[in-house]
Amino acid sequence: MTSLSPAPAAAPALSTLPFAIALALVSCSAAALAASPAEVQAPAASPTTLDAVVVEATRLRTVPAFDTPASTATIDLEGERSTAEGDVSEALRGVPGLLARDRQNLAQDTQLSIRGFGARATFGVRGLRLYADGIPASMPDGQGQLSHFSLAGAERIEVLRGPFSALHGNSSGGVVSIHSADGQAGDPWRLRATVGSDGTWTGAARLLGGNDVVGYNLSLSRLDTDGWRDHSAARRDVANLKLGFDLGERRRLDLVLNHVDIPEARDPLGLTAQQMREDPRQAVANAYVYDTRKSVRQSQAGAVFEQGFGQAQALRLSAWGGDREVTQVLPIPPAPQRNPLHSGGVIDLDNRYAGYDARWSWSGALAGRPLELAAGLSGERQRQHRRGFENFVGESLGVRGTLRREERNEVESDDLYAQAWWRFAPHWSLLLGARRSEAAFTSRDHYVTAGNPDDSGRVDYAETSPVAGITFAPSEHLRIYASAGRGFETPTFNELSYRADGGAGLAFGLRPAVSDNLELGMKWRTPAGGLLEAALFRADTDDEIAVASNVAGRSSYRNAGSARRQGVELSWWQPLGEAWDLQLAATQLEAEFRSGAADTGAIAAGRRIPGVPERHAFARLQWNDGGAWSAALEAEAMGEVMVNDAGTGSAAGYGLLHVEASRRWATASGPLRVFARIDNVLDRDHVGSVIVNEGNGRFYEPGAGRSWLLGLEWRFDRR
């Protein structure tokens, strides 16, 4: 087995935190509640769950996250942050069970997984549901993107893990939702700029305000970088506008406009183990020969209308639409493209999408006990124009050549869902729900030649996802819960695009993956004013969708039999006196194939699922005495990650340290803050992410070495 071991500091032995520890925490917590805890307050930009927080991802209007039988995290983005805000992975550090990896490659977007779901993605996000201001950032086929998340204008990020994610439909192994702040009269405007290593700089502005009738939030940001690796220069511009209208009599309308532009982000491609050891900053030769690059442009608009009826009922209507254009140049040599079935080395995608969601909710009582009901329906449409071109003209490489593929693809999905929460006894509550999802994938081939037959076709998927959870509240400050549910994930159009056997046409033989999920957890507000959470979870999946091959940026997929993901998550936020805060998060995850598919025989039972570390942990110690200065120390550790289904290669675990500090000055026009941060203080070589089953052995995407950042933030008070 090939093991790439660039990091002398191995990950700490988190295996000493087995399931038994979480169970012990559950059993002993009630006895530890003799003292009444102080009111929990969230530190800036730290994941936590407060009693007063109603997490919208649970789709409950009146029930705080603390009382739900689900693992949730709310990340406050309104506080002072000493990061570049250039990648959403910066904000998602410290959420147990979640991995957000900056690939040092804007051409491939952030790699995101929750409890092992989504880890197979070679680009974009799979297996998870994403939302931005209530508008899906996941396409109807399950493909999602984080590139247009606007951290500059955001107020918070919500994360939902576990069985109740299934109520969001297709590809809901977890939910990540970003929310922009609502503008109000007197809100300060904010200007922000950073400079850092490798020619990286960012600039951002948030204009926030309003009056009694309308509120506005306009955010503009730019990230420009030469890239830590060679041939990885990129620029990303994001604009986000949210307008909120108070129409009186419990009526509200929100309008959201969003635009992202990433012109020709260079792609350095993955490295082999030998290349990683020789020079982790290098790009492979083909990256230069073909000038591998990717351009993305997306614009979308959405509207959310809410109407209350009396004190008990509410209706929420939302609609959205947008267009996403992607052009990518791949490093495929001309020789393979002589095959009449080959679709070329330049991908040109135009996705147009639209959808709606209508939800009714009611809050009342049943048998004298609080009850909340919700029911809704949603529909989404995606129209994709996919073209493929040769990546050469004569002797010129890396340019758009002759057309080799053209098809019109469509996805239509229609869902019905309902849920009910009932506190049926003084210390007990029940949450039930179900969702019926139907999706139709259709492809019409417009490139038909004598050597390339008509590959048109259609496939339909349907699944019912029930969920149930129960919560026990032995005291005001302790919750113990159990939940179960079924989720499913269809292949995306990108996964249907190429057949694993190399034949012509789409891979309509791929089946959806269906998962049965279980979770046991507890939430405890500690006597010292902190919050401790623990969860045991298991997900058994049939027809696991896995990468069959990945060559030169082109991936094909197959159903790989059954799989199991099980583990334990722990998170703890604790104030330490008046000036110090401690945040800890740890995850142990066993993700393995339980049986190989009969038609592949390539994956042995018990083989670890690639792209998923067995353990990872995060710690942050923050100091702020209430004065002008603040500082923080962060540590993160990652276990070994397998890189392919065969289990013949791995990326070694590592441990990293980061430090930051800031100084604030009061001015006549509002506070001015200067901040600095050093990531990877010890300059450890490490693998930041892997490309699962990469056919040329270029599995490894190195993480950045020691890097620095200086920033300036001014909150302009207009009052």
Side-chain angles (χ1 to χ4, degrees), residues 317-344:
L317 304 174
S318 60
W320 60 88
D323 180 88
R324 184 177 179 89
E325 300 174 355
V326 178
T327 304
Q328 184 174 14
V329 178
L330 304 175
I332 300 176
Q337 299 179 59
R338 297 191 184 103
N339 183 335
L341 300 180
H342 202 282
S343 54

PDB file of all heavy atoms in Angstrom, residues 317-344:
ATOM      1  N   LEU A 317     -44.279  31.140   0.822  1.00  0.00           N
ATOM      2  CA  LEU A 317     -44.156  30.845  -0.603  1.00  0.00           C
ATOM      3  C   LEU A 317     -42.803  31.354  -1.095  1.00  0.00           C
ATOM      4  O   LEU A 317     -42.426  32.497  -0.810  1.00  0.00           O
ATOM      5  CB  LEU A 317     -45.276  31.532  -1.394  1.00  0.00           C
ATOM      6  CG  LEU A 317     -46.716  31.222  -0.975  1.00  0.00           C
ATOM      7  CD1 LEU A 317     -47.693  32.094  -1.762  1.00  0.00           C
ATOM      8  CD2 LEU A 317     -47.039  29.751  -1.186  1.00  0.00           C
ATOM      9  N   SER A 318     -42.088  30.530  -1.810  1.00  0.00           N
ATOM     10  CA  SER A 318     -40.809  30.958  -2.374  1.00  0.00           C
ATOM     11  C   SER A 318     -40.699  30.485  -3.813  1.00  0.00           C
ATOM     12  O   SER A 318     -41.241  29.441  -4.185  1.00  0.00           O
ATOM     13  CB  SER A 318     -39.638  30.431  -1.542  1.00  0.00           C
ATOM     14  OG  SER A 318     -39.636  29.020  -1.502  1.00  0.00           O
ATOM     15  N   ALA A 319     -39.993  31.266  -4.611  1.00  0.00           N
ATOM     16  CA  ALA A 319     -39.752  30.924  -6.010  1.00  0.00           C
ATOM     17  C   ALA A 319     -38.384  31.466  -6.396  1.00  0.00           C
ATOM     18  O   ALA A 319     -37.924  32.484  -5.857  1.00  0.00           O
ATOM     19  CB  ALA A 319     -40.835  31.517  -6.917  1.00  0.00           C
ATOM     20  N   TRP A 320     -37.727  30.792  -7.328  1.00  0.00           N
ATOM     21  CA  TRP A 320     -36.378  31.188  -7.709  1.00  0.00           C
ATOM     22  C   TRP A 320     -36.063  30.724  -9.119  1.00  0.00           C
ATOM     23  O   TRP A 320     -36.740  29.860  -9.680  1.00  0.00           O
ATOM     24  CB  TRP A 320     -35.356  30.598  -6.733  1.00  0.00           C
ATOM     25  CG  TRP A 320     -35.378  29.092  -6.675  1.00  0.00           C
ATOM     26  CD1 TRP A 320     -34.680  28.219  -7.460  1.00  0.00           C
ATOM     27  CD2 TRP A 320     -36.179  28.289  -5.801  1.00  0.00           C
ATOM     28  NE1 TRP A 320     -34.982  26.930  -7.123  1.00  0.00           N
ATOM     29  CE2 TRP A 320     -35.902  26.940  -6.104  1.00  0.00           C
ATOM     30  CE3 TRP A 320     -37.102  28.575  -4.784  1.00  0.00           C
ATOM     31  CZ2 TRP A 320     -36.509  25.885  -5.436  1.00  0.00           C
ATOM     32  CZ3 TRP A 320     -37.695  27.522  -4.111  1.00  0.00           C
ATOM     33  CH2 TRP A 320     -37.399  26.195  -4.439  1.00  0.00           C
ATOM     34  N   GLY A 321     -35.042  31.305  -9.669  1.00  0.00           N
ATOM     35  CA  GLY A 321     -34.567  30.904 -10.986  1.00  0.00           C
ATOM     36  C   GLY A 321     -33.178  31.439 -11.217  1.00  0.00           C
ATOM     37  O   GLY A 321     -32.752  32.411 -10.580  1.00  0.00           O
ATOM     38  N   GLY A 322     -32.444  30.794 -12.125  1.00  0.00           N
ATOM     39  CA  GLY A 322     -31.090  31.257 -12.378  1.00  0.00           C
ATOM     40  C   GLY A 322     -30.438  30.547 -13.545  1.00  0.00           C
ATOM     41  O   GLY A 322     -31.038  29.674 -14.190  1.00  0.00           O
ATOM     42  N   ASP A 323     -29.213  30.933 -13.825  1.00  0.00           N
ATOM     43  CA  ASP A 323     -28.437  30.367 -14.920  1.00  0.00           C
ATOM     44  C   ASP A 323     -26.995  30.222 -14.456  1.00  0.00           C
ATOM     45  O   ASP A 323     -26.430  31.151 -13.847  1.00  0.00           O
ATOM     46  CB  ASP A 323     -28.507  31.284 -16.144  1.00  0.00           C
ATOM     47  CG  ASP A 323     -27.701  30.736 -17.314  1.00  0.00           C
ATOM     48  OD1 ASP A 323     -28.265  29.947 -18.093  1.00  0.00           O
ATOM     49  OD2 ASP A 323     -26.513  31.092 -17.438  1.00  0.00           O
ATOM     50  N   ARG A 324     -26.396  29.058 -14.728  1.00  0.00           N
ATOM     51  CA  ARG A 324     -25.007  28.802 -14.364  1.00  0.00           C
ATOM     52  C   ARG A 324     -24.275  28.290 -15.596  1.00  0.00           C
ATOM     53  O   ARG A 324     -24.630  27.244 -16.149  1.00  0.00           O
ATOM     54  CB  ARG A 324     -24.908  27.801 -13.221  1.00  0.00           C
ATOM     55  CG  ARG A 324     -23.471  27.550 -12.727  1.00  0.00           C
ATOM     56  CD  ARG A 324     -23.461  26.604 -11.545  1.00  0.00           C
ATOM     57  NE  ARG A 324     -22.118  26.323 -11.068  1.00  0.00           N
ATOM     58  CZ  ARG A 324     -21.454  27.015 -10.155  1.00  0.00           C
ATOM     59  NH1 ARG A 324     -22.025  28.084  -9.612  1.00  0.00           N
ATOM     60  NH2 ARG A 324     -20.240  26.673  -9.768  1.00  0.00           N
ATOM     61  N   GLU A 325     -23.246  29.020 -16.023  1.00  0.00           N
ATOM     62  CA  GLU A 325     -22.453  28.660 -17.193  1.00  0.00           C
ATOM     63  C   GLU A 325     -21.067  28.216 -16.740  1.00  0.00           C
ATOM     64  O   GLU A 325     -20.413  28.903 -15.951  1.00  0.00           O
ATOM     65  CB  GLU A 325     -22.329  29.853 -18.141  1.00  0.00           C
ATOM     66  CG  GLU A 325     -23.675  30.366 -18.658  1.00  0.00           C
ATOM     67  CD  GLU A 325     -23.524  31.638 -19.464  1.00  0.00           C
ATOM     68  OE1 GLU A 325     -22.387  32.151 -19.536  1.00  0.00           O
ATOM     69  OE2 GLU A 325     -24.529  32.115 -20.003  1.00  0.00           O
ATOM     70  N   VAL A 326     -20.634  27.071 -17.236  1.00  0.00           N
ATOM     71  CA  VAL A 326     -19.340  26.508 -16.867  1.00  0.00           C
ATOM     72  C   VAL A 326     -18.599  26.101 -18.135  1.00  0.00           C
ATOM     73  O   VAL A 326     -19.158  25.407 -18.995  1.00  0.00           O
ATOM     74  CB  VAL A 326     -19.482  25.279 -15.947  1.00  0.00           C
ATOM     75  CG1 VAL A 326     -18.110  24.692 -15.615  1.00  0.00           C
ATOM     76  CG2 VAL A 326     -20.230  25.646 -14.671  1.00  0.00           C
ATOM     77  N   THR A 327     -17.350  26.524 -18.248  1.00  0.00           N
ATOM     78  CA  THR A 327     -16.467  26.081 -19.323  1.00  0.00           C
ATOM     79  C   THR A 327     -15.186  25.563 -18.697  1.00  0.00           C
ATOM     80  O   THR A 327     -14.583  26.259 -17.869  1.00  0.00           O
ATOM     81  CB  THR A 327     -16.143  27.221 -20.298  1.00  0.00           C
ATOM     82  OG1 THR A 327     -17.362  27.767 -20.821  1.00  0.00           O
ATOM     83  CG2 THR A 327     -15.295  26.719 -21.450  1.00  0.00           C
ATOM     84  N   GLN A 328     -14.763  24.356 -19.084  1.00  0.00           N
ATOM     85  CA  GLN A 328     -13.579  23.756 -18.483  1.00  0.00           C
ATOM     86  C   GLN A 328     -12.718  23.107 -19.556  1.00  0.00           C
ATOM     87  O   GLN A 328     -13.219  22.380 -20.420  1.00  0.00           O
ATOM     88  CB  GLN A 328     -13.978  22.719 -17.428  1.00  0.00           C
ATOM     89  CG  GLN A 328     -12.798  22.124 -16.680  1.00  0.00           C
ATOM     90  CD  GLN A 328     -13.231  21.201 -15.546  1.00  0.00           C
ATOM     91  OE1 GLN A 328     -14.397  20.807 -15.469  1.00  0.00           O
ATOM     92  NE2 GLN A 328     -12.306  20.866 -14.664  1.00  0.00           N
ATOM     93  N   VAL A 329     -11.420  23.361 -19.479  1.00  0.00           N
ATOM     94  CA  VAL A 329     -10.444  22.756 -20.393  1.00  0.00           C
ATOM     95  C   VAL A 329      -9.718  21.653 -19.642  1.00  0.00           C
ATOM     96  O   VAL A 329      -9.097  21.898 -18.602  1.00  0.00           O
ATOM     97  CB  VAL A 329      -9.448  23.801 -20.916  1.00  0.00           C
ATOM     98  CG1 VAL A 329      -8.418  23.135 -21.834  1.00  0.00           C
ATOM     99  CG2 VAL A 329     -10.178  24.916 -21.655  1.00  0.00           C
ATOM    100  N   LEU A 330      -9.775  20.408 -20.181  1.00  0.00           N
ATOM    101  CA  LEU A 330      -9.191  19.229 -19.555  1.00  0.00           C
ATOM    102  C   LEU A 330      -7.891  18.843 -20.256  1.00  0.00           C
ATOM    103  O   LEU A 330      -7.715  19.111 -21.459  1.00  0.00           O
ATOM    104  CB  LEU A 330     -10.167  18.060 -19.617  1.00  0.00           C
ATOM    105  CG  LEU A 330     -11.550  18.295 -18.995  1.00  0.00           C
ATOM    106  CD1 LEU A 330     -12.448  17.096 -19.240  1.00  0.00           C
ATOM    107  CD2 LEU A 330     -11.429  18.586 -17.509  1.00  0.00           C
ATOM    108  N   PRO A 331      -6.990  18.141 -19.547  1.00  0.00           N
ATOM    109  CA  PRO A 331      -5.693  17.766 -20.137  1.00  0.00           C
ATOM    110  C   PRO A 331      -5.742  16.414 -20.833  1.00  0.00           C
ATOM    111  O   PRO A 331      -4.947  15.515 -20.533  1.00  0.00           O
ATOM    112  CB  PRO A 331      -4.779  17.726 -18.911  1.00  0.00           C
ATOM    113  CG  PRO A 331      -5.664  17.256 -17.812  1.00  0.00           C
ATOM    114  CD  PRO A 331      -7.018  17.846 -18.094  1.00  0.00           C
ATOM    115  N   ILE A 332      -6.675  16.252 -21.768  1.00  0.00           N
ATOM    116  CA  ILE A 332      -6.814  14.976 -22.482  1.00  0.00           C
ATOM    117  C   ILE A 332      -6.026  15.047 -23.787  1.00  0.00           C
ATOM    118  O   ILE A 332      -6.266  15.936 -24.610  1.00  0.00           O
ATOM    119  CB  ILE A 332      -8.291  14.673 -22.758  1.00  0.00           C
ATOM    120  CG1 ILE A 332      -9.074  14.581 -21.440  1.00  0.00           C
ATOM    121  CG2 ILE A 332      -8.438  13.379 -23.547  1.00  0.00           C
ATOM    122  CD1 ILE A 332     -10.561  14.385 -21.617  1.00  0.00           C
ATOM    123  N   PRO A 333      -5.091  14.141 -24.031  1.00  0.00           N
ATOM    124  CA  PRO A 333      -4.310  14.167 -25.274  1.00  0.00           C
ATOM    125  C   PRO A 333      -5.196  13.960 -26.502  1.00  0.00           C
ATOM    126  O   PRO A 333      -6.282  13.372 -26.418  1.00  0.00           O
ATOM    127  CB  PRO A 333      -3.328  13.006 -25.094  1.00  0.00           C
ATOM    128  CG  PRO A 333      -3.282  12.739 -23.624  1.00  0.00           C
ATOM    129  CD  PRO A 333      -4.654  13.073 -23.120  1.00  0.00           C
ATOM    130  N   PRO A 334      -4.756  14.405 -27.678  1.00  0.00           N
ATOM    131  CA  PRO A 334      -5.553  14.232 -28.899  1.00  0.00           C
ATOM    132  C   PRO A 334      -5.800  12.774 -29.267  1.00  0.00           C
ATOM    133  O   PRO A 334      -6.865  12.451 -29.817  1.00  0.00           O
ATOM    134  CB  PRO A 334      -4.711  14.940 -29.964  1.00  0.00           C
ATOM    135  CG  PRO A 334      -3.905  15.948 -29.213  1.00  0.00           C
ATOM    136  CD  PRO A 334      -3.601  15.298 -27.900  1.00  0.00           C
ATOM    137  N   ALA A 335      -4.861  11.868 -28.967  1.00  0.00           N
ATOM    138  CA  ALA A 335      -5.005  10.480 -29.416  1.00  0.00           C
ATOM    139  C   ALA A 335      -6.296   9.823 -28.947  1.00  0.00           C
ATOM    140  O   ALA A 335      -7.033   9.233 -29.756  1.00  0.00           O
ATOM    141  CB  ALA A 335      -3.784   9.668 -28.983  1.00  0.00           C
ATOM    142  N   PRO A 336      -6.649   9.877 -27.634  1.00  0.00           N
ATOM    143  CA  PRO A 336      -7.912   9.248 -27.227  1.00  0.00           C
ATOM    144  C   PRO A 336      -9.133   9.862 -27.894  1.00  0.00           C
ATOM    145  O   PRO A 336     -10.171   9.200 -28.023  1.00  0.00           O
ATOM    146  CB  PRO A 336      -7.934   9.466 -25.712  1.00  0.00           C
ATOM    147  CG  PRO A 336      -6.525   9.720 -25.321  1.00  0.00           C
ATOM    148  CD  PRO A 336      -5.913  10.413 -26.490  1.00  0.00           C
ATOM    149  N   GLN A 337      -9.038  11.110 -28.320  1.00  0.00           N
ATOM    150  CA  GLN A 337     -10.185  11.787 -28.905  1.00  0.00           C
ATOM    151  C   GLN A 337     -10.455  11.354 -30.343  1.00  0.00           C
ATOM    152  O   GLN A 337     -11.457  11.764 -30.937  1.00  0.00           O
ATOM    153  CB  GLN A 337      -9.983  13.303 -28.816  1.00  0.00           C
ATOM    154  CG  GLN A 337      -9.863  13.818 -27.381  1.00  0.00           C
ATOM    155  CD  GLN A 337      -9.629  15.318 -27.291  1.00  0.00           C
ATOM    156  OE1 GLN A 337     -10.435  16.119 -27.778  1.00  0.00           O
ATOM    157  NE2 GLN A 337      -8.529  15.713 -26.660  1.00  0.00           N
ATOM    158  N   ARG A 338      -9.568  10.510 -30.879  1.00  0.00           N
ATOM    159  CA  ARG A 338      -9.839   9.971 -32.214  1.00  0.00           C
ATOM    160  C   ARG A 338     -10.948   8.930 -32.178  1.00  0.00           C
ATOM    161  O   ARG A 338     -11.544   8.607 -33.209  1.00  0.00           O
ATOM    162  CB  ARG A 338      -8.563   9.357 -32.792  1.00  0.00           C
ATOM    163  CG  ARG A 338      -7.434  10.350 -33.006  1.00  0.00           C
ATOM    164  CD  ARG A 338      -6.294   9.754 -33.818  1.00  0.00           C
ATOM    165  NE  ARG A 338      -5.178  10.695 -33.923  1.00  0.00           N
ATOM    166  CZ  ARG A 338      -4.061  10.601 -33.202  1.00  0.00           C
ATOM    167  NH1 ARG A 338      -3.913   9.594 -32.346  1.00  0.00           N
ATOM    168  NH2 ARG A 338      -3.100  11.494 -33.358  1.00  0.00           N
ATOM    169  N   ASN A 339     -11.235   8.386 -31.002  1.00  0.00           N
ATOM    170  CA  ASN A 339     -12.358   7.461 -30.837  1.00  0.00           C
ATOM    171  C   ASN A 339     -13.653   8.207 -31.161  1.00  0.00           C
ATOM    172  O   ASN A 339     -13.937   9.254 -30.568  1.00  0.00           O
ATOM    173  CB  ASN A 339     -12.380   6.944 -29.400  1.00  0.00           C
ATOM    174  CG  ASN A 339     -13.464   5.915 -29.150  1.00  0.00           C
ATOM    175  OD1 ASN A 339     -14.476   5.860 -29.833  1.00  0.00           O
ATOM    176  ND2 ASN A 339     -13.271   5.097 -28.130  1.00  0.00           N
ATOM    177  N   PRO A 340     -14.462   7.715 -32.089  1.00  0.00           N
ATOM    178  CA  PRO A 340     -15.686   8.450 -32.465  1.00  0.00           C
ATOM    179  C   PRO A 340     -16.672   8.625 -31.313  1.00  0.00           C
ATOM    180  O   PRO A 340     -17.570   9.473 -31.396  1.00  0.00           O
ATOM    181  CB  PRO A 340     -16.282   7.590 -33.585  1.00  0.00           C
ATOM    182  CG  PRO A 340     -15.679   6.238 -33.403  1.00  0.00           C
ATOM    183  CD  PRO A 340     -14.303   6.473 -32.864  1.00  0.00           C
ATOM    184  N   LEU A 341     -16.528   7.818 -30.254  1.00  0.00           N
ATOM    185  CA  LEU A 341     -17.413   7.945 -29.100  1.00  0.00           C
ATOM    186  C   LEU A 341     -16.902   8.954 -28.078  1.00  0.00           C
ATOM    187  O   LEU A 341     -17.601   9.262 -27.114  1.00  0.00           O
ATOM    188  CB  LEU A 341     -17.583   6.582 -28.410  1.00  0.00           C
ATOM    189  CG  LEU A 341     -18.177   5.461 -29.263  1.00  0.00           C
ATOM    190  CD1 LEU A 341     -18.276   4.179 -28.445  1.00  0.00           C
ATOM    191  CD2 LEU A 341     -19.548   5.857 -29.803  1.00  0.00           C
ATOM    192  N   HIS A 342     -15.684   9.455 -28.267  1.00  0.00           N
ATOM    193  CA  HIS A 342     -15.101  10.376 -27.288  1.00  0.00           C
ATOM    194  C   HIS A 342     -15.765  11.740 -27.398  1.00  0.00           C
ATOM    195  O   HIS A 342     -16.081  12.214 -28.490  1.00  0.00           O
ATOM    196  CB  HIS A 342     -13.595  10.508 -27.514  1.00  0.00           C
ATOM    197  CG  HIS A 342     -12.850  10.983 -26.313  1.00  0.00           C
ATOM    198  ND1 HIS A 342     -12.819  12.302 -25.917  1.00  0.00           N
ATOM    199  CD2 HIS A 342     -12.103  10.305 -25.398  1.00  0.00           C
ATOM    200  CE1 HIS A 342     -12.084  12.414 -24.823  1.00  0.00           C
ATOM    201  NE2 HIS A 342     -11.628  11.224 -24.487  1.00  0.00           N
ATOM    202  N   SER A 343     -15.971  12.396 -26.233  1.00  0.00           N
ATOM    203  CA  SER A 343     -16.699  13.667 -26.229  1.00  0.00           C
ATOM    204  C   SER A 343     -15.798  14.879 -26.092  1.00  0.00           C
ATOM    205  O   SER A 343     -16.274  15.984 -25.809  1.00  0.00           O
ATOM    206  CB  SER A 343     -17.726  13.673 -25.096  1.00  0.00           C
ATOM    207  OG  SER A 343     -17.100  13.381 -23.857  1.00  0.00           O
ATOM    208  N   GLY A 344     -14.482  14.701 -26.302  1.00  0.00           N
ATOM    209  CA  GLY A 344     -13.605  15.848 -26.369  1.00  0.00           C
ATOM    210  C   GLY A 344     -12.986  16.231 -25.046  1.00  0.00           C
ATOM    211  O   GLY A 344     -13.217  15.603 -24.010  1.00  0.00           O
TER     212      GLY A 344
END
